[in-house]
Amino acid sequence: MSIRLAGVAIFLVAALYAWTAQDYTASFGDVLGPSVFPVMVGIPAMALALSLVVFPGGSVSWPSGPRLLRQAMALAALIAYALLLEPLGFPLATAAVIAAVAMVLDGPPLKSSLIGIIGSLSLWVLFDQLLGLPIDFLGTLFGG
Amino acid sequence: MEILSSLGLGFSVAVQPLHLTLLLFGCFAGTLIGAMPGLGPVNGVAILIPLTFAFGFDATASLILLSAVYFGCMYGGRISSILLNIPGDEPAVMTTLDGYPMAQQGQAANALAISGVASFVGATVAIVGLTLFAPLLARAAIYFGPADYFALYVMAFATIGGLAGVDPRKTLLSALIGLMIATIGLDPATGIPRYTGGSFHLYDGIDPIVALVGLFAISELMFLLEKTIKDRDSAIKLDTWIPDLKVVFGTAWATVRGSVVGFVAGVLPGAGASLGAVMSYSIEKQVSNKNGTFGKGDPKGVAAPEAGNNSASAGALIPMLSLGVPGSGTTAVMLAMLISLNVQPGPLLFERQPDLVWGLVASLYMANVMLLVLNLPLIGLFTRLMAVPTWALMPLVVAISFIGVYSISNSTFDLYIMIGFGVLGYVLRKLDITLVPLVLGLLLGADMENNLRRALSISGGDYGVLVASWISVVLYIATAAFLALSVWLALRDRKRAADAP
């Protein structure tokens, strides 16, 4: 069933892709223009996706509820990091994401937090002090 | 003679202090990355690429570092296969079959030494092959015109999945998805934005490096979270590293056979190190398994796949360097780095940047010796480092991936792209759609389109130009034959599965 659904999804994306490509026109440039190659890619993709819907191959076993929850939690931590990196600044945000991912992976909370703090500080020293990357210590939230 | 002088140039590049330091560091880090279950050559190399940019290394230095890591992984993968029965990376799966039983019988030191020496021989055979054949292939490829390159790319996409039991439709679909992603951004010929949704962030297209780190590092984290993490305290203890030399030399022919089989598998498109190990093991089993000892701790069953995966991984560098078409996942990732540094691999690379090519080749010879030293007497160090628990290791890997990606453009937009590709990679892998063709499509898509458009500009829009030269005709026939073979094999497997109860 998963394969069939994926086939439908890929078919729709490929169809939209090939359809959109027709609008890309240029009166100058080369003979082929910007739209032919996407159409050449999109149409076989539609055909292959359709064949997966009609003749699905293989089976998929999705993770059970609790595991799915762990994955969702880890993803939430990653997205939170992308959101908070600039406001919080590098060391705080990185310490938090390391600790959070470690705990999702069943690390003991105290040790996980410790690894977060040590890890983020050493990475900050390496990247900001030694390599001179523009990574702020404090984020915009603290006027850094 | 020409090769000797080229190699001389190579060694003069390789012994520069920076290159030597990177080589040693890469060998050490690679062995460790390979030994850690959950981290393999593909994600190890993918994570390191943004860091090499951050350090400001040039293409030669970066390529030396990444190749050392790549080779190191092949050595490291065997350590956890033998001591834990968990392959440290995918190509080391076959080593568990006989390596772990050997360790259980108190022969861990022998198994490690056999696999270490086999890795050395396998890699050396393949590097000699690389030295001899890569320039020849590059010289032949000089005659390729735009239409021939288009045909070569078509062949690369059709064959990258290999023959091994995967649904060929899924492999092709993966390549097509990669090509679709590659067209995002401004069209290079006309400057028209395609599939950007009006977002200026996407005008430059998707940075392949950002996508790669997501596809390999983040999706690996998702996979790790769905498994129960095995306890690694149960590793078999190692008392000594000194092996019984008689047992080691007893595997000499198995090692040689494995090296040759692995090399051939590595050079062919779509095979790579994993298939090299599988083929070496199964051929060795047919040759040597007379008393049914394979799978129960036969030293030859350790030597053959290790020689095979090391030899295949070095062999896979040949098509990547001389044609610009990688034959495996890790070489595809290395190609991404070269393209990002404005180095276009292919036949002209050997003429324009001989210092890069031959510096790399010379470094590989040296890396191999370093790795043998690191992996025999210092094996105890790696077994101790391997005991770092996953919950402590993976978060640091994630943090390093984030910094690396952020340092490319200093924008959090790339972080979202990376996470998005992580989820995409996870879902596709769950659906049994391999990611290597996707990566190849993403990397080569722009060049493939350019060659097509150039060919048709030359002919004035006549599609006949695509099959006008005998090179492209041969490539299309080979592609069609390969596809027919893989469809036939897939149908046969399905029929067998249906016949079996």
Side-chain angles (χ1 to χ4, degrees), chain B residues 136-211:
Chain B
L136 288 182
L137 191 58
R139 214 164 293 157
I142 295 263
Y143 300 106
F144 280 35
D148 305 323
Y149 264 105
F150 183 74
L152 181 68
Y153 289 148
V154 170
M155 182 167 111
F157 291 127
T159 56
I160 185 83
L163 289 166
V166 199
D167 190 335
R169 292 174 301 169
K170 292 184 180 175
T171 317
L172 283 175
L173 207 47
S174 175
L176 291 168
I177 294 172
L179 288 173
M180 287 190 199
I181 299 170
T183 50
I184 295 175
L186 293 183
D187 169 32
T190 58
I192 287 177
R194 295 190 288 187
Y195 307 105
T196 55
S199 161
F200 292 107
H201 287 297
L202 286 173
Y203 271 27
D204 280 339
I206 303 245
D207 187 333
I209 307 284
V210 174

Side-chain angles (χ1 to χ4, degrees), chain B residues 82-295:
Chain B
I82 290 170
L83 295 179
L84 291 166
N85 203 21
I86 306 170
D89 50 31
E90 212 192 318
V93 174
M94 303 311 284
T95 313
T96 58
L97 298 181
D98 280 285
Y100 187 65
M102 271 187 86
Q104 281 178 318
Q105 294 155 19
Q107 296 208 55
N110 284 345
L112 285 168
I114 290 167
S115 54
V117 172
S119 298
F120 176 78
V121 175
T124 306
V125 166
I127 301 167
V128 172
L130 171 71
T131 315
L132 296 176
F133 296 128
L136 288 182
L137 191 58
R139 214 164 293 157
I142 295 263
Y143 300 106
F144 280 35
D148 305 323
Y149 264 105
F150 183 74
L152 181 68
Y153 289 148
V154 170
M155 182 167 111
F157 291 127
T159 56
I160 185 83
L163 289 166
V166 199
D167 190 335
R169 292 174 301 169
K170 292 184 180 175
T171 317
L172 283 175
L173 207 47
S174 175
L176 291 168
I177 294 172
L179 288 173
M180 287 190 199
I181 299 170
T183 50
I184 295 175
L186 293 183
D187 169 32
T190 58
I192 287 177
R194 295 190 288 187
Y195 307 105
T196 55
S199 161
F200 292 107
H201 287 297
L202 286 173
Y203 271 27
D204 280 339
I206 303 245
D207 187 333
I209 307 284
V210 174
L212 285 177
V213 176
L215 283 174
F216 292 114
I218 304 296
S219 81
E220 195 61 45
L221 176 70
M222 295 289 127
F223 261 93
L224 206 61
L225 284 165
E226 90 174 27
K227 287 186 291 206
T228 317
I229 295 159
K230 278 193 198 163
D231 195 8
R232 271 194 262 150
D233 296 336
S234 57
I236 290 175
K237 293 275 179 298
L238 197 61
D239 306 319
T240 171
W241 67 272
I242 298 166
D244 182 350
L245 286 180
K246 230 159 100 191
V247 182
V248 176
F249 285 119
T251 59
W253 283 110
T255 303
V256 172
R257 278 189 290 267
S259 307
V260 174
V261 172
F263 179 70
V264 174
V267 178
L268 292 178
S274 303
L275 192 64
V278 174
M279 281 172 59
S280 304
Y281 186 84
S282 39
I283 288 179
E284 190 56 36
K285 197 173 171 184
Q286 279 171 8
V287 175
S288 306
N289 191 20
K290 294 188 181 93
N291 306 323
T293 49
F294 268 59

Side-chain angles (χ1 to χ4, degrees), chain A residues 2-3 6 10 13-14 16-18 20-21 24-26 28-38 40-42 44-46 48-49 51-52 55-63 67-68 70-71 74-75 78-79 81-83 85-86 90 94 97-99 101-102 104-108 111-112 115 119-120 123 126-127 131 133-135, chain B residues 51 54-55 150 167-170 172-173 175-177 179-181 183-184 187 189-196 218 221-229 390-396 398-400 402-404 406-407 410-412 415-416 419 423 426-428 430-433 445-446 448-449 452-454 456-458 460-461 463 466 494:
Chain A
S2 299
I3 303 268
I10 298 173
V13 171
L16 186 69
Y17 177 88
T20 318
Y24 298 133
T25 47
F28 56 95
D30 56 341
V31 193
L32 214 52
S35 73
V36 175
F37 186 72
M40 276 173 72
V41 171
M46 284 161 69
L48 284 170
S51 89
L52 279 183
F55 310 104
S59 59
V60 185
S61 58
W62 295 101
R67 306 262 168 207
L68 218 54
R70 276 180 15 155
Q71 292 174 323
L75 261 186
L78 299 185
I79 293 170
Y81 182 78
L83 274 173
L85 176 63
E86 279 166 357
F90 180 79
T94 309
V97 79
I98 293 177
V101 173
V104 174
L105 281 164
D106 293 335
K111 282 187 184 168
S112 301
I115 283 197
S120 85
L123 288 173
L126 179 69
F127 281 87
L131 296 179
L133 287 185
I135 299 177
Chain B
L51 299 186
F55 277 94
F150 183 74
D167 190 335
R169 292 174 301 169
K170 292 184 180 175
L172 283 175
L173 207 47
L176 291 168
I177 294 172
L179 288 173
M180 287 190 199
I181 299 170
T183 50
I184 295 175
D187 169 32
T190 58
I192 287 177
R194 295 190 288 187
Y195 307 105
T196 55
I218 304 296
L221 176 70
M222 295 289 127
F223 261 93
L224 206 61
L225 284 165
E226 90 174 27
K227 287 186 291 206
T228 317
I229 295 159
T390 312
W391 63 261
L393 180 76
M394 269 324 263
L396 292 174
V398 169
I400 293 175
F402 269 130
I403 305 172
Y406 185 75
S407 70
N410 288 326
S411 97
T412 49
L415 297 183
Y416 294 114
I419 299 169
V423 176
Y426 172 75
V427 173
L428 290 178
K430 286 302 281 183
L431 295 166
D432 253 345
I433 298 180
M448 185 175 179
E449 182 177 11
L452 175 69
R453 287 163 81 162
R454 211 174 297 151
L456 286 169
S457 291
I458 294 169
Y463 280 89
L466 293 179
R494 182 177 290 184

